[in-house]
Amino acid sequence: MTTRKGQVNDAEYLKEIDWARRDLRALIFTKQCAPFMLRLAWHDAGTYDVKTKTGGPNGSIRYELSHGANRGLKVAIDFCEEIKAKYPKITYADLYQLAGVVAVEVSVGPTIDFVPGRMDCPGSTDEGRLPDANGGGEHLREIFYRMGLSDKDIVALSGAHTLGRAHVERSGFEGAWTPEPLKFDNSYFVELLKGGKSGMLKLPTDKVLVQDPVFLPYVELYAKDEEVFFRDYADSHKKLSELGFAPPNSRPNMVTKVVVGIAVAITVAVISYFYEVCKQAK
């Protein structure tokens, strides 16, 4: 995926991003669709392959609704179309990731840094790159390592299951992971540690987080400290949303301007000094 050149300096585009963020907040709150929007963002980004540099957050999910893992996401796509119609300059790739960020925030989760500039992909990504709910630890690592993510990212991002519920017609499973499926908190990990006593949904890919000796310490930490979970989740979500994407960065330009400014100041000072020296010599 490539960066949309010059977009970071396009004031009009950035203004549309701000307006779209505002409208997404209202839409997600009104429709109570945060879980759909978060799943949309995750599934668009989660196809990335760090070796082949294919897939990732490029808007291609709108062509992939027939993929088994994306059942039910047409609702989220349609909601985003309402925003896209108002702000046509925004790429689908940016829009879907912005929707995911806003979904977490509206659900009183952590604030996630968002940088626009993603390009849209004109076609679909091969099916089979997203996690299978029936998989184990080896499967999770295969999927996430392919994206260039870590064990810590696996556990932190799994915490997104604090939002929403599974539907049998989409995944073969039914139920919510937490007592309050529209609130983003650390209760997913609390429920995991309760085991079968909690009565909440636990997929095979959830259970493995407490069975694996590397994953378990993170589960225990996040269940104990919501602040740490929020921090790590925000970091991992940002990574996920930027897979294969080099965010436009205005900081080097700013640094360059500062350096040039200092150089000019020094030059002026030196010239002034020699001018005074020459003046006194006369």
Side-chain angles (χ1 to χ4, degrees), residues 61-243:
I61 194 169
R62 67 193 191 280
Y63 304 121
E64 300 159 3
L65 294 178
S66 62
H67 294 187
N70 295 330
R71 291 191 192 99
L73 282 177
K74 187 178 185 303
V75 175
I77 294 286
D78 290 345
F79 283 151
C80 284
E81 284 296 335
E82 296 180 25
I83 306 298
K84 177 71 171 172
K86 292 182 67 175
Y87 311 109
K89 287 179 178 285
I90 299 177
T91 64
Y92 283 104
D94 273 347
L95 179 58
Y96 295 159
Q97 293 311 311
L98 181 61
V101 165
V102 174
V104 173
E105 294 173 359
V106 168
S107 306
V108 298
T111 298
I112 301 164
D113 182 45
F114 177 80
V115 180
R118 297 162 188 78
M119 283 286 286
D120 284 340
C121 177
S124 64
T125 304
D126 293 338
E127 188 170 5
R129 293 191 180 190
L130 294 170
D132 182 344
N134 289 294
E138 184 177 343
H139 169 69
L140 282 179
R141 287 190 170 95
E142 179 184 347
I143 295 293
F144 281 81
Y145 288 4
R146 187 207 67 227
M147 290 188 271
L149 299 177
S150 67
D151 287 340
K152 181 180 178 181
D153 294 320
I154 291 173
V155 182
L157 289 170
S158 293
H161 277 159
T162 189
L163 289 183
R165 58 186 299 118
H167 301 270
V168 68
E169 69 274 14
R170 298 171 191 164
S171 64
F173 296 91
E174 185 70 39
W177 287 269
T178 65
E180 296 182 83
L182 291 177
K183 180 182 179 182
F184 195 102
D185 57 20
N186 68 336
S187 60
Y188 168 76
F189 300 105
V190 173
E191 297 298 329
L192 275 183
L193 293 177
K194 290 180 182 178
K197 298 177 182 178
S198 73
M200 307 307 298
L201 174 66
K202 291 178 182 61
L203 305 174
T205 45
D206 298 319
K207 294 175 182 177
V208 74
L209 299 183
V210 294
Q211 296 166 348
D212 187 285
V214 177
F215 294 153
L216 179 58
Y218 291 115
V219 173
E220 294 174 330
L221 174 62
Y222 296 155
K224 180 181 179 181
D225 195 325
E226 186 175 77
E227 185 176 344
V228 172
F229 166 53
F230 274 24
R231 181 198 67 202
D232 288 355
Y233 179 83
D235 289 344
S236 294
H237 186 124
K238 179 175 172 62
K239 281 187 200 176
L240 179 70
S241 73
E242 294 180 354
L243 291 174

